[in-house]
Amino acid sequence: MSEILQPLYARLRDALRGDILAGRLRVHDKLPSEHELVQAHGVSRITVRQALADLQREGLITRLQGKGAYVSAPRTTQALQRLEGLGEALSAHGQAVHSQRLSMKRLKGSPDVVSALQLSPGSEVYQLRTLRYVDRLPVSLNESHYPLPLGERMVRLDLSGRDVIEVLEHDLGLRVSQARMEISAVPMPKLAAKWLQATPDGPALQVRRVLLDDEGKPLQLETATHHADRFSYQLTMSR
């Protein structure tokens, strides 16, 4: 029985995929340009673009306008089915989550922050900035704000490798009953790009979350900026 030949774009796609999976092309490596792939494989530019489009849909590469295609880092996916921290959600899949504390400050809250925490205008808050890793790869820059009494307790704790929800409930005896979340696509801020090894103004996923206790009192406002190529949410909905 003769072997069925694949279309040219599929053969090129599979060759590049094999290089990525075998480690010959590593995370963040730049792929040859479209012109170089045309010359090296004797195919048309349309064939090259079709092969690259398939690899991008698989999440294996990222294509940046005017800069070319790069090997993507492995993607982390969190299922949004119940209120839980990232560490709790990923531990069942054998993935380890760690946080590096970058700064902890007491400062005057912005109007947006004090409104979200239901504080009086001009109130001071604690601001905690952390870099979160999944399997030692940076995936998000997190900026959290706490009311003063709670922030004074949080500042004394080691949060590395632990979810905030776990710390609030187990260490501080508070009950987290619900969260308000807003998920947006935004340009990558310069500060986040520095820590996430990303391109400034490139694609980013920003998640704003307010944790509430049983009485509806805000405990924490967190804004997490994710590397869009490394993180996604998965939702299951019923009708």
Side-chain angles (χ1 to χ4, degrees), residues 14-32:
D14 290 354
L16 292 172
R17 184 198 287 129
D19 286 341
I20 294 171
L21 296 179
R24 290 184 291 273
L25 286 170
R26 296 177 295 179
V27 172
H28 304 313
D29 278 356
K30 185 177 180 180
L31 271 67

Side-chain angles (χ1 to χ4, degrees), residues 35-74:
H35 177 73
E36 289 170 335
L37 289 171
V38 165
Q39 296 297 315
H41 295 271
V43 296
S44 69
R45 191 174 291 268
I46 292 176
T47 295
V48 169
R49 289 178 177 172
Q50 195 170 358
L52 295 178
D54 277 6
L55 294 174
Q56 186 174 26
R57 278 192 291 271
E58 293 177 32
L60 291 175
I61 67 168
T62 300
R63 299 163 79 186
L64 301 178
Q65 184 67 33
K67 295 185 177 181
Y70 297 80
V71 179
S72 300

Side-chain angles (χ1 to χ4, degrees), residues 46-173:
I46 292 176
T47 295
V48 169
R49 289 178 177 172
Q50 195 170 358
L52 295 178
D54 277 6
L55 294 174
Q56 186 174 26
R57 278 192 291 271
E58 293 177 32
L60 291 175
I61 67 168
T62 300
R63 299 163 79 186
L64 301 178
Q65 184 67 33
K67 295 185 177 181
Y70 297 80
V71 179
S72 300
R75 179 179 290 271
T76 297
T77 300
Q78 180 180 2
L80 286 183
Q81 297 174 324
R82 55 186 293 265
L83 178 54
E84 59 185 350
L86 182 64
E88 183 183 0
L90 298 184
S91 61
H93 303 286
Q95 293 180 279
V97 179
H98 296 279
S99 295
Q100 175 189 353
R101 179 181 291 191
L102 303 178
S103 64
M104 184 74 167
K105 302 176 182 178
R106 177 171 171 166
L107 44 73
K108 181 179 177 180
S110 68
D112 178 61
V113 168
V114 297
S115 175
L117 293 176
Q118 298 179 15
L119 302 173
S120 301
S123 295
E124 288 191 318
V125 297
Y126 272 101
Q127 180 199 74
L128 172 64
R129 186 172 286 152
T130 59
L131 182 63
R132 187 160 56 187
Y133 296 79
V134 175
D135 295 336
R136 302 186 182 182
L137 186 70
V139 295
S140 68
L141 180 67
N142 295 42
E143 188 173 278
S144 298
H145 292 90
Y146 301 91
L148 280 188
L150 179 55
E152 288 168 353
R153 301 170 70 187
M154 294 291 290
V155 73
R156 299 183 178 92
L157 300 173
D158 180 12
L159 305 180
S160 179
R162 305 182 66 197
D163 291 325
V164 168
I165 294 175
E166 176 198 359
V167 172
L168 291 172
E169 293 189 330
H170 295 168
D171 292 44
L172 304 183

